Amino acid sequence: MNREHPVIVIGAGIGGMACAIALAARGVAVEIVERAGRAGGKMREIRTAGTALDAGPTVFTLRWVFDELFAEADTCLDDQITLKPLARLARHAWSAGERLDLHADAAATADAIGLFAGASESRSFLAFCEEAGAIYRTLERPFLASPRPGPLSLASRIGFHRLGALAGIRPFETMWRRLAAHFQDPRLRQLFGRYATYCGSSPFAAPATLMLIAHVEQDGVWLIEGGMQRLAEAMEALARRLGVVFHFGREVREIRLEHGRVAGVRLADGEQVGACAVVVNGDAAAVANGLFGAAVSHAATFVPPERRSLSAVTWSLVAPTGGFPLLRHSVFFSADYAAEFEDLRSRLPADPTIYVCAQDRGGTDGAAPPGPERLMMLVNAPPNGDGCGLSDKEIAACETRLFSRLARCGLEIGKPSEPAVITTPADFHRMFPGTGGALYGPATHGWQASFRRPGSATAIPGLYLAGGSTHPGAGVPMAALSGRLAAQRLITDLLSTRRFHPAAIFGGISTA
Ligand SMILES: Cc1cc2nc3c(=O)[nH]c(=O)nc-3n(C[C@H](O)[C@H](O)[C@H](O)COP(=O)(O)OP(=O)(O)OC[C@H]3O[C@@H](n4cnc5c(N)ncnc54)[C@H](O)[C@@H]3O)c2cc1C
């Protein structure tokens, strides 16, 4: 496989880079074309008040996915970035007097729940952990780390003789209903129901299967020293060492076909580049919406706006705080979760749940740095960035409600050093075309949703998909898994077909 017939990966997000690394480690020539000026995609940093802040993912889990990826390339994740496990996973607040911490140690969490909601709820938590862990173990290899199955092939991978395990993944029950069976206290249902939003879904519509996310966090949350962007940088550096060529600031406008098979891409400036295969790491919805040309739009399924996952509004700022002992990850809950998700169908919630990432806090005690600190605050939002969007007035009103809820929980945020940098669904839509600002592909609502997500291979020979909008799902580790799956499938296909087309190589492109 030579340089003149590279695999072209469209997008240097986590899934795109994972795919490139897995391919290059097997000797495949890979070039990544990225419309932004840097690698990482949604994993991005912004600068304000003279410093850098994580403005995308902040919770790093399932490190084994990256351990395996780096090992595939004969290197070690720990040699490239410094990871520190969090002893206290997150602090949750409902009012000034109602706070609950989740700990990495389940027994410590059970004790905390006992004090917060009583001994019976503490026991329920341990039963919930059992169930969430069992779902995760059932699905880890047969689903998460394997090509997208159908319902029957999943049953066969798990083993028809393991009917108990199959039924135990609870695809036909909503998460909310299952949580109600576990917990009497509505605050605990809300806390554990929030895990559905990790893939942009509502706990009222998501299958109880998503309880496995609780296990994923319980299994370990790590801080990356210097911020999440260091992971994107480490992946870029590793890919380059393996010979992957990056082309930043270049946008693919068309995936070209010859005789029904992928032959290359056309860039925004008209340049055409040949390829033996193309992997789209942009959202699969961009393919379906025709953003890569009408000829390939049938390679992905159109996702109507009502089936999209959630978007978000984020505020990134450097400001003094007081009155509430923030941890690295803190969540301030709304009074009525059902009403919040009802609002999210079309507007910003009247009473939003707020996630605050205090990026200078990492110790067990969450000790505050002296002076102003780096904060990212996030509320969920409807994915309407390509439609009516959100007006400045709506965002300002949401900000007022956000600060008043934080104040009711005791958190005062002083004047920021510079005005907060606000990112809206329309901004996310501009950065991630085809999405409407949906951050996690299609929502995981109903038992069929996971089986409807696109897999790596498409109906078009030579065209593959990788990233958070595809199987096995959204989130940093899932996107990386999808990239590895796409690489495995592509290599299998290349080796079996050995069909290569003469192709032009990139000319005069900046590879900064
Ligand atoms: C605010 C926020 C918070 C989040 N929090 C978490 C968290 O705490 N933990 C977690 O695990 N996950 C979190 N996520 C989700 C996680 O960030 C994503 O699921 C994951 O990073 C997606 O990776 P990806 O491979 O799909 O690529 P993406 O990040 O979607 O990147 C795709 C890339 O393709 C490029 N591209 C698109 N079209 C073209 C084109 N035509 N030509 C060239 N390039 C193109 C884009 O510019 C982009 O760089 C969060 C996301 C956001 C936005």
Side-chain angles (χ1 to χ4, degrees):
M1 299 171 203
N2 65 53
R3 272 275 155 236
E4 293 193 2
H5 307 97
V7 171
I8 291 181
V9 177
I10 305 173
I14 297 304
M17 289 196 288
C19 181
I21 289 168
L23 288 171
R26 299 279 304 274
V28 179
V30 186
E31 311 218 355
I32 298 188
V33 185
E34 167 55 60
R35 67 200 284 275
R38 45 143 207 113
K42 294 185 182 83
M43 189 177 280
R44 68 192 184 103
E45 252 176 11
I46 58 164
R47 292 199 70 82
T48 179
T51 184
L53 287 84
D54 277 325
T58 50
V59 180
F60 184 60
T61 56
L62 294 183
R63 63 164 292 173
W64 65 263
V65 173
F66 291 89
D67 285 327
E68 285 187 9
L69 179 70
F70 277 63
E72 249 176 83
D74 282 333
T75 182
C76 173
L77 180 65
D78 284 319
D79 291 346
Q80 313 302 324
I81 56 174
T82 305
L83 292 169
K84 198 170 108 188
L86 269 185
R88 273 180 210 252
L89 305 182
R91 177 157 292 162
H92 306 84
W94 287 262
S95 68
E98 298 167 286
R99 283 179 204 159
L100 174 64
D101 289 356
L102 292 193
H103 302 259
D105 175 10
T109 301
D111 288 347
I113 289 178
L115 292 174
F116 180 74
S120 156
E121 295 293 73
S122 172
R123 284 191 297 276
S124 297
F125 167 72
L126 292 173
F128 167 76
C129 286
E130 280 277 304
E131 184 169 29
I135 296 173
Y136 178 82
R137 285 186 291 279
T138 301
L139 291 178
E140 185 187 76
R141 294 291 155 179
F143 184 83
L144 300 180
S146 299
R148 188 197 63 182
L152 264 183
S153 52
L154 179 64
S156 137
R157 281 180 203 166
I158 292 172
F160 287 108
H161 59 289
R162 295 180 62 214
L163 279 179
L166 259 173
I169 64 176
R170 297 192 178 274
F172 305 118
E173 199 174 350
T174 68
M175 189 171 180
W176 193 256
R177 211 184 149 92
R178 189 67 199 144
L179 287 171
H182 276 292
F183 298 108
Q184 297 297 312
D185 191 316
R187 296 168 303 180
L188 296 176
R189 294 178 198 163
Q190 196 176 18
L191 190 162
F192 293 109
R194 182 175 162 271
Y195 284 123
T197 66
Y198 280 33
C199 52
S201 303
S202 158
F204 299 94
T209 318
L210 289 197
M211 292 186 341
L212 68 81
I213 302 172
H215 174 81
V216 164
E217 264 209 7
Q218 195 67 60
D219 209 33
V221 175
W222 281 267
L223 290 187
I224 300 180
E225 198 174 284
M228 295 289 283
Q229 192 62 31
R230 305 295 79 79
L231 175 62
E233 285 170 6
M235 292 178 78
E236 179 187 346
L238 173 58
R240 284 186 190 278
R241 282 201 298 281
L242 294 167
V244 175
V245 178
F246 285 79
H247 305 277
F248 290 122
R250 309 298 305 270
E251 179 165 351
V252 174
R253 286 281 169 80
E254 184 189 350
I255 296 169
R256 293 189 306 107
L257 303 183
E258 273 172 26
H259 312 296
R261 189 194 154 79
V262 163
V265 298
R266 184 176 59 79
L267 306 184
D269 61 7
E271 185 179 358
Q272 299 204 7
V273 186
C276 67
V278 167
V279 182
V280 177
N281 174 226
D283 202 286
V287 176
N289 292 355
L291 299 187
F292 295 106
V296 297
S297 61
H298 65 285
T301 312
F302 174 72
V303 179
E306 65 277 10
R307 292 231 325 261
R308 290 173 177 163
S309 58
L310 292 168
S311 188
V313 178
T314 62
W315 288 259
S316 301
L317 64 161
V318 179
T321 65
F324 181 98
L326 284 168
L327 291 184
R328 176 70 163 223
H329 305 294
S330 303
V331 182
F332 299 84
F333 279 109
S334 63
D336 183 342
Y337 221 29
E340 181 175 354
F341 280 91
E342 196 48 43
D343 281 351
L344 281 167
R345 289 170 181 269
S346 56
R347 56 180 172 266
L348 285 170
D351 180 12
T353 291
I354 304 144
Y355 163 68
V356 178
C357 181
Q359 304 188 15
D360 295 303
R361 302 187 187 227
T364 300
D365 56 356
E373 57 180 312
R374 297 176 303 151
L375 303 171
M376 183 188 69
M377 307 190 296
L378 180 151
V379 302
N380 291 313
N384 61 4
D386 55 346
C388 55
L390 299 170
S391 67
D392 291 349
K393 206 169 138 198
E394 285 171 287
I395 289 166
C398 180
E399 187 175 305
T400 306
R401 296 195 294 269
L402 173 151
F403 279 110
S404 81
R405 168 146 295 285
L406 294 181
R408 280 206 296 283
C409 292
L411 175 63
E412 298 296 340
I413 297 182
K415 192 172 177 329
S417 317
E418 282 182 14
V421 178
I422 300 175
T423 309
T424 67
D427 297 322
F428 285 119
H429 175 66
R430 268 190 293 278
M431 286 186 278
F432 308 107
T435 61
L439 296 173
Y440 315 87
T444 306
H445 289 165
W447 71 272
Q448 289 172 314
S450 294
F451 300 113
R452 276 204 223 111
R453 265 184 129 73
S456 323
T458 71
I460 299 176
L463 181 57
Y464 301 84
L465 304 172
S469 64
T470 71
H471 172 79
V476 168
M478 300 293 179
L481 281 172
S482 78
R484 292 178 68 196
L485 290 172
Q488 282 161 15
R489 177 62 195 256
L490 198 157
I491 287 173
T492 307
D493 290 351
L494 277 184
L495 291 176
S496 66
T497 61
R498 308 287 298 170
R499 287 182 60 181
F500 298 100
H501 286 252
I505 56 167
F506 280 90
I509 290 179
S510 147
T511 57

